[in-house]
Amino acid sequence: MNLDEAMTICRTAPATYTLDETNHAELYNFLSKFNFPSGARIVELGCCAGRTSLILAYLSKYKNWDFHAVDCFVLNAEHEYRQVMDNSKLPYTLHVNWTSSITVPTKPTLTEVPWDAPIHFLFIDASLNEPWFSGDCRKWIPFVVPGGIVAFDDWPGNIENGALVDNLFVDGTGAHDAIKIYGSQFTTNWIDLGWCGRVRIKQKPYDDAI
């Protein structure tokens, strides 16, 4: 298990709507330090073309974690994602569903993903707009175990390539304001571990019941 191998595998997926290589390396280095128990569930909301999935699946293979990805595939095709993941020979479980009960109009035949299991690491990168983002927070964050981690991609104010990323619309309003608003609301009194690249990291206190 090493960063160079993980990044080589990561590059086999298209760089579509995903972290850049520096951010993926930082995510690998951050998560590799955690000793979650065998079978710990690692969940990615919004897997798109699979680059972040490959990092999470790679770590899951060597740490004996249980990696799950959830996406309704608005931005790319399901078969393309499966091809990338199957070619990697890494373990994964894919849920082709809405990430919450909030309907995705372009995918009306799908249903909300069923879920009732504890989560040790949750990566939220599905729709970053309302009402879908708060729907994801409401559904998934309560499953995070004490000591578990939530990672929010595109949290406003992140630094990328040495520059502040404001994520502003042309009228000056925040394109990703919902992430900070609802991400903060659903992780009140959690430990703020700061930035991992452009990703904001929150940890559930160990004395907080699931």
Side-chain angles (χ1 to χ4, degrees):
M1 184 180 110
N2 64 79
L3 174 60
D4 288 342
E5 183 179 42
M7 293 304 299
T8 296
I9 294 172
C10 177
R11 294 185 192 106
T12 63
T16 306
Y17 296 103
T18 189
L19 305 177
D20 63 19
E21 289 201 7
T22 299
N23 280 274
H24 273 128
E26 292 192 36
L27 179 63
Y28 173 93
N29 288 330
F30 171 81
L31 196 52
S32 64
K33 298 173 184 177
F34 282 81
N35 293 313
F36 298 137
S38 176
R41 291 173 189 86
I42 310 299
V43 176
E44 179 186 13
L45 305 183
C47 55
C48 201
R51 280 210 168 190
T52 304
S53 291
L54 289 170
I55 294 293
L56 299 177
Y58 179 87
L59 286 165
S60 295
K61 174 184 177 180
Y62 287 100
K63 288 180 169 284
N64 198 30
W65 297 338
D66 182 17
F67 171 60
H68 294 254
V70 187
D71 206 306
C72 62
F73 294 99
V74 171
L75 300 177
N76 66 305
E78 175 191 344
H79 75 271
E80 294 172 346
Y81 176 86
R82 289 191 183 276
Q83 183 176 22
V84 164
M85 298 303 294
D86 291 345
N87 287 345
S88 75
K89 308 299 183 184
L90 296 173
Y92 75 102
T93 300
L94 176 62
H95 305 265
V96 184
N97 297 91
W98 302 329
T99 53
S100 75
S101 61
I102 310 298
T103 303
V104 177
T106 57
K107 297 287 182 175
T109 62
L110 295 181
T111 58
E112 176 184 4
V113 59
W115 191 270
D116 62 358
I119 296 171
H120 281 76
F121 180 82
L122 175 64
F123 189 88
I124 301 182
D125 192 23
S127 176
L128 305 180
N129 301 309
E130 280 299 287
W132 297 277
F133 184 79
S134 62
D136 288 345
C137 290
R138 186 174 294 107
K139 176 181 177 69
W140 292 95
I141 289 177
F143 288 110
V144 175
V145 302
I149 298 292
V150 176
F152 298 94
D153 189 20
D154 285 316
W155 187 286
N158 64 80
I159 301 295
E160 191 164 17
N161 297 321
L164 178 67
V165 181
D166 288 323
N167 296 317
L168 298 180
F169 289 123
V170 292
D171 65 358
T173 60
H176 295 153
D177 283 353
I179 302 172
K180 186 173 183 178
I181 293 169
Y182 294 102
S184 298
Q185 177 180 318
F186 284 93
T187 57
T188 301
N189 297 324
W190 287 37
I191 302 166
D192 188 345
L193 298 183
W195 297 102
C196 176
R198 76 183 200 192
V199 178
R200 193 75 176 189
I201 305 292
K202 300 291 189 80
Q203 184 176 36
K204 189 172 186 177
Y206 284 94
D207 59 355
D208 193 354
I210 190 171

